[in-house]
Amino acid sequence: NRLGASVLMISRGMPFFLAGEEMLRTKGGDSNSYASSDEVNNLDWEALTPDSAAWAMSCFYRDLIAMRKANPFLWTAEPSCEILEGSVIAVTWSQDGATVACAFVNPGEEALETALPDGFWTVLLAGGKVFPDGGEVLGGSAEVPARGVLLLRG
């Protein structure tokens, strides 16, 4: 879920997600709940307790939204993509001929060490942790987490 949400929130265009997905909502395998009961279709607000997985996921979505709002390059800069080893996707965002950000999407089960573009890069997203205003500064190379996204801003 975190990998999918991360990819969605760094993609171009208006992100959409289904109500309840941010709190790990399930319909118990009901593939078409149009005619199902309220028990199947209602949001389970009581699942949102501070120590629950649903709460942790809703906080992750909140932080992804804050990160997206704080980093307009995600919708203003021009992205380009390439496939690296192990099915890792590398994305770079450019404005006025300069690389302003990069991301690495790793769908694999193993972390991968990768070279970064020249310069120093501020971590915005690393696996399951979001830093809306920026976290650690990296240069040279970085580890792309397994089943995760590493997003860096220049």
Side-chain angles (χ1 to χ4, degrees), residues 63 67 71 122-126 129-136 151 153:
D63 293 345
M67 184 268 306
N71 292 281
T122 303
V123 176
L124 298 175
L125 173 61
K129 297 190 191 262
V130 183
F131 307 93
D133 300 316
E136 179 182 8
L151 174 63
R153 176 183 65 206

Side-chain angles (χ1 to χ4, degrees), residues 10-109:
I10 68 169
S11 297
R12 290 204 79 169
M14 180 65 67
F16 287 93
F17 44 92
L18 185 63
E21 128 180 9
E22 76 284 0
M23 53 192 264
L24 302 173
R25 178 181 186 205
T26 180
K27 292 186 177 190
D30 189 334
S31 63
N32 183 1
S33 66
Y34 174 75
S36 296
S37 68
D38 288 345
E39 185 177 317
V40 170
N41 285 305
N42 283 346
L43 295 175
D44 182 8
W45 294 106
E46 296 191 14
L48 286 174
T49 59
D51 59 340
S52 69
W55 180 268
M57 187 59 69
S58 68
C59 291
F60 182 71
Y61 270 75
R62 178 200 61 213
D63 293 345
L64 282 174
I65 292 166
M67 184 268 306
R68 184 174 172 88
K69 285 181 175 181
N71 292 281
F73 73 83
L74 289 165
W75 65 88
T76 60
E78 191 63 36
S80 63
C81 302
E82 68 176 297
I83 305 295
L84 304 178
E85 87 176 72
S87 299
V88 172
I89 301 169
V91 183
T92 56
W93 286 266
S94 300
Q95 283 182 317
D96 302 321
T99 300
V100 296
C102 59
F104 302 91
V105 179
N106 182 3
E109 295 181 21

